[in-house]
Amino acid sequence: MPDRLTSLDLTFLKAESPATPMHVGTVDIFEPPVHGDDGFDYESLVALIRDRIAFVPRYRQRIQQIPGRFAGPIWVDDEDFDITFHVRRSALPRPGTHAQLLELVARIMSRRLDRARPLWEMYLVEGLQGDRFAIIAKSHQALVDGNSTVDIGQVVLDSTAHPRDTPTDTWQPAHPPSALELLAGVFADATRHPTAVLELARAEMASLTGSTSVREVLGDVVGSVVAQRHVQESSLHVKTSGQRRFTTVQTDLEDYRAVRAMHGGTVNDVILAVVAGALRAWMMTRGESVSPTRGVRAVVPVSIRDDDEEEPTSLGSRVISSTVNLPVGENSPVMRLHQISYQTKVHKDTGRAVSARSLVGIAGFAPTTLHALAARVATATVRPIDDVVITNVPGPQFPLYAQGAPMLASYPVVPLMPGQGLSVGVTSYDGKVSFGLNADRTAMPDLAVFAQCVTDALDELLDTTKGSRSRASRGRKTGAAGRGKPATPSRGPKKAGS
């Protein structure tokens, strides 16, 4: 029988609304191919996806409901699968600016995916300055579980400019099961996995009564006076609209290593300290009270080693939820870093934390999958008292290619949780640390200000190190308000950050 959606998958489907689309995205920017005269066009992308989609068969499957809906739906092959429906073409008026690209990303990410088809889309965006192009991808959180399915972005990139050979794809869609076969499958599953079926039925019944497990978790906390006061005091808590605002910030990995070498901790700790400093400065620009004890509760999913009793994922690790209190009330950037390092050390001391070096060793461009898994965990565990979701995934420190076209930068797009105005995704790749800042369009018209606060917070930390370079010499790039564009990546391999 086909695979059945899990109760967590159902949660994502039922909790989705026009104000909170439940998909994860990436924005990858490329230069033209280094070999050949044909360049990279829409036909090239369609051919690439057609060659690699066999590695992610779930991307050719749609959701099939069970008659009566007394059991969870299943994944079935889409008999009418049309790759050109999912792989789309767009263009900016030449020469397209980075700011125009970001506006397009915001509009694409604001739209929900079509439930009647496989839950993903990919856009080729032509017309960028310097003959560059971008690939915008989005996949539903129910689609990518890191177990049976990884994100398609993990399989389309190569480590050399010469695409690797792939086996001939002989896929033919299986005929969807009849109503009788669907019911027989339910009884068979009930015999083999009675607990799982009961959980699916409970989730389905809860959705029919207007609640989901996410809402149940939220409802347990909403009644707290402390939580209500915390939400009222924070400009990060908003009435989420259906429209998004997106911007990017690109920084140098060596800057984070310099701070780590001086003050200890990890590169991840330094990134969280930068976000904390940026939030502090941004709140002050809004005239918001930042008392010495003020903190921002960040949901920070982390990777751990699979337990022996757990079913291992295809990545060799699982992602769990972790909460870090970002000390935005602390004036000293070094003290903010030390306080964050102390909190994250508790996780590392369990001995189950996965190092950055191990994560970057995963085959393919794993950050796309790991960001999707992190968003799944955050969606399932976030509470009203939580302020922001931050996902940080290290990637390879050498250039990757799509059909010979070198990838310059990759920016994650982490979905917003209900009632939250900002999410932060971070990916390190080829010597750069790239921030993808996704925000509610109405609630955060000053997202460009927050982007500038990110670079300023890193500068503030660098000023505490010996021999720090000047801002001008660093040449940091940011996508806020149309400033700058991704820097050209170095061509030599570098060691991964930790």
Side-chain angles (χ1 to χ4, degrees):
M1 290 297 295
D3 292 335
R4 194 174 304 280
L5 275 72
T6 66
S7 58
L8 183 58
D9 295 334
L10 286 177
T11 295
F12 299 139
L13 293 174
K14 302 304 180 183
E16 188 171 43
S17 71
T20 54
M22 291 292 171
H23 51 253
V24 183
T26 54
V27 182
D28 298 332
I29 300 178
F30 297 83
E31 283 186 325
V34 294
H35 299 294
D37 300 325
D38 296 334
F40 191 102
D41 55 16
Y42 175 73
E43 287 71 24
S44 302
L45 180 58
V46 170
L48 176 61
I49 300 302
R50 185 176 284 117
D51 286 343
R52 305 291 174 88
I53 198 170
F55 295 116
V56 281
R58 183 59 49 79
Y59 276 70
R60 289 190 288 207
Q61 293 185 320
R62 59 177 177 82
I63 295 174
Q64 173 69 57
Q65 295 290 345
I66 301 297
R69 296 201 175 193
F70 61 87
I74 61 173
W75 296 103
V76 298
D77 289 347
D78 183 5
E79 289 187 296
D80 300 318
F81 179 75
D82 178 6
I83 196 169
T84 60
F85 174 85
H86 298 276
V87 182
R88 305 177 180 186
R89 187 175 195 171
S90 185
L92 300 176
R94 295 179 184 272
T97 65
H98 195 65
Q100 290 173 323
L101 173 63
L102 299 179
E103 182 65 27
L104 177 61
V105 172
R107 296 186 183 279
I108 289 175
M109 293 300 167
S110 298
R111 299 196 296 263
R112 289 189 292 177
L113 292 160
D114 185 350
R115 294 281 185 91
R117 297 175 180 268
L119 297 174
W120 66 280
E121 293 174 357
M122 185 173 289
Y123 294 78
L124 174 69
V125 184
E126 300 170 302
L128 274 66
Q129 292 174 337
D131 291 328
R132 295 172 176 174
F133 63 92
I135 295 178
I136 304 171
K138 61 180 186 180
S139 300
H140 200 280
Q141 288 177 259
L143 187 67
V144 180
D145 58 11
N147 211 345
S148 58
T149 303
V150 299
D151 188 86
I152 196 168
Q154 187 170 337
V155 301
V156 299
L157 297 174
D158 299 300
S159 58
T160 70
H162 301 284
R164 63 184 184 274
D165 293 331
T166 56
T168 302
D169 185 13
T170 58
W171 178 79
Q172 292 292 330
H175 186 74
S178 65
L180 184 60
E181 290 171 328
L182 290 173
L183 294 176
V186 172
F187 289 118
D189 285 347
T191 302
R192 293 193 301 265
H193 309 290
T195 304
V197 172
L198 287 174
E199 176 62 21
L200 286 168
R202 187 204 64 79
E204 188 69 28
M205 290 301 296
S207 69
L208 293 175
T209 60
S211 66
T212 67
S213 58
V214 168
R215 292 175 188 166
E216 291 169 5
V217 172
L218 299 184
D220 291 338
V221 184
V222 165
S224 168
V225 175
V226 175
Q228 289 178 356
R229 181 177 302 174
H230 179 83
V231 168
Q232 290 170 359
E233 291 177 348
S234 175
S235 53
L236 290 169
H237 291 273
V238 301
K239 182 178 180 180
T240 312
S241 71
Q243 300 302 316
R244 298 292 178 260
R245 195 181 300 271
F246 183 74
T247 194
T248 63
V249 179
Q250 190 177 78
T251 56
D252 292 327
L253 178 58
E254 286 302 321
D255 289 347
Y256 298 85
R257 289 172 171 166
V259 175
R260 178 195 61 182
M262 175 61 64
H263 301 297
T266 65
V267 167
N268 180 64
D269 295 338
V270 180
I271 289 173
L272 291 177
V274 167
V275 175
L279 286 169
R280 171 184 169 84
W282 173 73
M283 290 176 175
M284 294 176 70
T285 66
R286 286 192 160 204
E288 188 171 333
S289 174
V290 184
S291 63
T293 59
R294 179 72 184 275
V296 167
R297 289 177 56 88
V299 177
V300 184
V302 293
S303 293
I304 63 170
R305 296 186 182 90
D306 280 320
D307 292 328
D308 293 338
E309 64 271 15
E310 296 282 350
E311 182 181 1
T313 68
S314 61
L315 305 179
S317 66
R318 291 189 300 120
V319 179
I320 63 172
S321 180
S322 174
T323 302
V324 177
N325 185 51
L326 303 180
V328 298
E330 172 58 54
N331 183 56
S332 167
V334 176
M335 285 303 299
R336 288 196 293 267
L337 173 59
H338 288 330
Q339 291 179 32
I340 290 171
S341 296
Y342 179 80
Q343 295 179 67
T344 59
K345 187 176 185 297
V346 174
H347 166 65
K348 292 190 288 287
D349 286 347
T350 64
R352 300 174 64 203
V354 179
S355 68
R357 197 176 304 278
S358 298
L359 289 176
V360 299
I362 297 172
F365 190 59
T368 57
T369 298
L370 290 168
H371 278 294
L373 296 182
R376 280 172 65 93
V377 168
T379 302
T381 59
V382 71
R383 302 170 296 171
I385 200 173
D386 297 324
D387 298 298
V388 65
V389 173
I390 304 173
T391 66
N392 174 30
V393 180
Q397 298 308 307
F398 51 84
L400 298 175
Y401 303 82
Q403 290 287 85
M407 185 171 74
L408 301 180
S410 180
Y411 302 100
V413 188
V414 180
L416 295 184
M417 303 299 109
Q420 293 187 350
L422 173 69
S423 65
V424 179
V426 187
T427 296
S428 59
Y429 162 69
D430 196 24
K432 301 295 181 181
V433 176
S434 301
F435 291 74
L437 307 178
N438 191 28
D440 185 86
R441 189 174 191 87
T442 303
M444 285 195 68
D446 55 350
L447 183 61
V449 174
F450 179 75
Q452 182 59 50
C453 289
V454 171
T455 63
D456 292 343
L458 179 55
D459 288 335
E460 188 180 27
L461 276 168
L462 278 170
D463 288 342
T464 67
T465 66
K466 294 180 180 179
S468 62
R469 295 168 291 172
S470 67
R471 295 183 186 180
S473 65
R474 278 193 295 274
R476 190 168 297 112
K477 306 296 182 181
T478 173
R483 293 189 300 275
K485 54 189 178 182
T488 302
S490 57
R491 299 304 178 193
K494 306 177 185 70
K495 293 183 180 178
S498 62

